[in-house]
Amino acid sequence: MNAPLPTVLKQHVIDPEICIRCNTCEATCPVGAITHDSRNYVIDVATCNWCNACISPCPTGSIDNYRSVPAGRPYTLEEQFSWDELPAELSPDQLQAAVAESGGDVSALAAEPAAAPAADPSGETAFRSADWGATLPPWSAAHAYTNLYGPKAAQKTVTATVTGNVRVTEVGKDYDTHHIVLDFGAMPFPVLEGQSIGIIPPGTDASGKPHHARQYSIASPRNGERPGYNNLSLTIKRVLEDHAGKPVRGVASNYMCDLQVGDTVQVIGPFGTSFLMPNHPRSNIVMICTGTGSAPMRAMTEWRRRLRASGKFESGKLMLFFGARTQEELPYFGPLQNLPKDFIDINFAFSRTAGAPKRYVQDAMRERAADLAALLQDPNTCIYVCGLKSMEEGVVLALRDVAQQAGLSWDTIGAALKTEGRLHLETY
Ligand SMILES: Cc1cc2nc3c(=O)[nH]c(=O)nc-3n(C[C@H](O)[C@H](O)[C@H](O)COP(=O)(O)OP(=O)(O)OC[C@H]3O[C@@H](n4cnc5c(N)ncnc54)[C@H](O)[C@@H]3O)c2cc1C
Ligand code: SF4
Ligand code: SF4
């Protein structure tokens, strides 16, 4: 006999007030239950199977919210898209009235706790790169402070002052990337390499509501862009066309790239508890990035460079795979070239160099298969992938192929990378 259908449902919802629209949950959800419009991220109650895969990767905790609703009348996607804040939890009387209104059996209410839909145990088999990404940091990562400033924190935002804004890609080209330094003065803002911050652009959007925060990876090490200063740097690309190539003027990226030294910016964060670097001696770091995905890689590289300069830390291998359309598009190309070869092993891949075949980061990785395979077998290796969403699948597949061609079991190595916090994916 089938179990009776629940009268009340515990509906999984996202708090729009603290969500920073980072897309992590949508990328993580194995069944495609999460979607978004230009304003909100929402969960389709009919698709969500309560696997909880999205909970720990969410940097703000906004996805860890639930509302008891009549099973016959959950919040629709349209309702969730319209929210500026979560609706209040219904009182027992309100819930009873709502159940009655939706045609549910009110007499079953007292005995029945709000139910979560049963998880679907039929695991899918298609390869999904996101399934291999870790949600825990490596064991030797330092403690990350998060959400010190934000809608639900004691202080909503912190004001930072721009102390530097330099274009780092060639002037006159259609791509325009800036290296921006923000100083927090006397306000505490402790960060680690791999974390990000939220920038709140001034003004309102087309519907008259305040702009939501945009997330930017920190490009400087934990002790500051300038060592010993309470500052950090960002690598921001001016968005002038959308993902389909249509001309647009990205709100936050243009605001940031146009800032002058001395201007102030409203910041929230920091965010991120897992994309953190290992701190134990002889730990290896493999960094794979495209475009502004170089920001966290710059931070990690620079921290290891400072440790090396101190003479007090024995680093493992650093290996970087850096992809761009052309050489001119690479932020920080010059300084990276100057790092000693025994410190970091740098591999570039250009996909649109005139007269040369297209080459992507995964092609460069396959060319270095022997070295990568050795690193994959070393439990002291942590791998970081950051940049364009479109690179993620190819990169994880390349890692799998490198392992398998070396006679290793990807299922074993991939599972260890994930559970030990050693493969991190951050694509946007
Ligand atoms: C974890 C994380 C880290 C990030 N780190 C960085 C970083 O270090 N540097 C950085 O520059 N950005 C980074 N981003 C992206 C950043 O948060 C913004 O999404 C980006 O700057 C665009 O914001 P905007 O306000 O300018 O554009 P919006 O006004 O939000 O968007 C305008 C239009 O452009 C499209 N669009 C948005 N972003 C892009 C894009 N990158 N390319 C093409 N079209 C786009 C939108 O879909 C929309 O149609 C990161 C995002 C995440 C989730
Ligand atoms: S709980 Fe699982 S199915 Fe539901 S939204 Fe989160 S990741 Fe998707
Ligand atoms: S902040 Fe959390 S809920 Fe919002 S988009 Fe990111 S992962 Fe999803």
Side-chain angles (χ1 to χ4, degrees):
M1 199 181 84
N2 288 336
L5 289 172
T7 312
V8 175
L9 202 66
K10 197 171 145 198
Q11 185 172 358
H12 187 191
V13 290
I14 293 176
D15 184 342
E17 262 191 297
I18 53 173
C19 169
I20 53 172
R21 284 79 182 165
C22 68
N23 201 55
T24 306
C25 52
E26 190 172 324
T28 306
C29 178
V31 294
I34 302 177
T35 181
H36 70 276
D37 66 0
S38 59
R39 192 157 180 91
N40 281 356
Y41 274 73
V42 298
I43 303 174
D44 182 359
V45 68
T47 311
C48 174
N49 66 13
W50 287 74
C51 69
N52 283 347
C54 58
I55 305 298
S56 63
C58 170
T60 58
S62 36
I63 203 154
D64 200 7
N65 280 286
Y66 311 88
R67 287 291 179 269
S68 296
V69 294
R73 179 62 182 88
Y75 292 114
T76 63
L77 291 180
E78 287 64 36
E79 283 170 312
Q80 297 175 57
F81 279 133
S82 73
W83 289 346
D84 287 327
E85 57 188 49
L86 280 179
E89 191 62 89
L90 297 178
S91 68
D93 287 348
Q94 288 170 323
L95 190 56
Q96 186 167 355
V99 167
E101 201 180 311
S102 70
D105 178 7
V106 181
S107 63
L109 259 183
E112 182 194 294
D120 174 7
S122 65
E124 38 71 59
T125 50
F127 183 89
R128 282 181 78 251
S129 53
D131 291 342
W132 299 98
T135 53
L136 293 171
W139 70 267
S140 61
H143 173 76
Y145 291 91
T146 57
N147 295 296
L148 297 179
Y149 304 93
K152 300 260 158 112
Q155 189 169 328
K156 308 288 172 232
T157 63
V158 59
T159 303
T161 306
V162 178
T163 54
N165 184 353
V166 185
R167 183 174 174 150
V168 290
T169 46
E170 210 180 304
V171 176
K173 303 279 180 183
D174 53 357
Y175 40 80
D176 179 5
T177 303
H178 285 236
H179 178 70
I180 298 168
V181 183
L182 300 181
D183 192 285
F184 292 87
M187 297 304 291
F189 206 84
V191 297
L192 291 173
E193 308 77 14
Q195 284 195 290
S196 57
I197 65 169
I199 297 285
I200 305 191
T204 51
D205 64 16
S207 54
K209 295 169 183 157
H211 289 297
H212 64 75
R214 275 27 168 220
Q215 207 177 353
Y216 293 100
S217 303
I218 295 163
S220 49
R222 60 191 77 185
N223 64 343
E225 170 69 11
R226 190 170 169 197
Y229 281 72
N230 190 18
N231 64 10
L232 56 79
S233 63
L234 306 172
T235 310
I236 300 189
K237 181 183 168 208
R238 197 188 279 281
V239 170
L240 292 173
E241 53 181 43
D242 67 12
H243 293 290
K246 203 171 100 245
V248 289
R249 201 169 166 79
V251 173
S253 58
N254 282 278
Y255 161 67
M256 291 300 288
C257 288
D258 289 338
L259 286 171
Q260 306 290 315
V261 169
D263 286 347
T264 57
V265 184
Q266 295 309 306
V267 177
I268 59 172
F271 302 115
T273 53
S274 66
F275 196 107
L276 303 175
M277 64 188 289
N279 287 315
H280 63 286
R282 293 181 296 286
S283 47
N284 311 307
I285 305 181
V286 177
M287 298 171 273
I288 304 157
C289 63
T290 55
T292 54
S294 61
M297 313 313 184
R298 179 185 185 272
M300 292 186 193
T301 304
E302 180 58 12
W303 180 238
R304 280 284 167 104
R305 197 191 63 74
R306 288 181 192 176
L307 288 176
R308 174 177 152 122
S310 75
K312 291 183 188 144
F313 183 78
E314 189 189 344
S315 179
K317 290 197 168 62
L318 298 193
M319 199 171 190
L320 173 69
F321 294 91
F322 197 153
R325 285 185 294 188
T326 62
Q327 181 160 320
E328 295 74 32
E329 207 171 317
L330 287 179
Y332 311 127
F333 175 72
L336 271 180
Q337 282 287 69
N338 297 334
L339 292 172
K341 298 257 178 304
D342 69 334
F343 167 64
I344 183 168
D345 180 350
I346 300 176
N347 303 265
F348 289 119
F350 303 115
S351 59
R352 295 210 199 142
T353 301
K358 286 186 175 170
R359 205 162 160 269
Y360 297 99
V361 275
Q362 49 271 41
D363 300 322
M365 290 168 66
R366 288 176 204 278
E367 283 165 21
R368 300 296 308 276
D371 297 291
L372 274 177
L375 286 168
L376 279 174
Q377 291 175 79
D378 184 342
N380 294 306
T381 300
C382 297
I383 304 174
Y384 300 85
V385 181
C386 188
L388 292 175
K389 179 124 260 35
S390 54
M391 78 186 281
E392 188 181 295
E393 181 122 329
V395 165
V396 181
L397 278 171
L399 287 172
R400 185 192 69 175
D401 293 349
V402 163
Q404 287 175 345
Q405 279 155 21
L408 308 167
S409 156
W410 171 251
D411 282 349
T412 307
I413 288 195
L417 289 171
K418 183 183 172 83
T419 55
E420 293 167 14
R422 297 193 292 113
L423 173 58
H424 294 276
L425 310 173
E426 188 162 277
T427 56
Y428 44 86

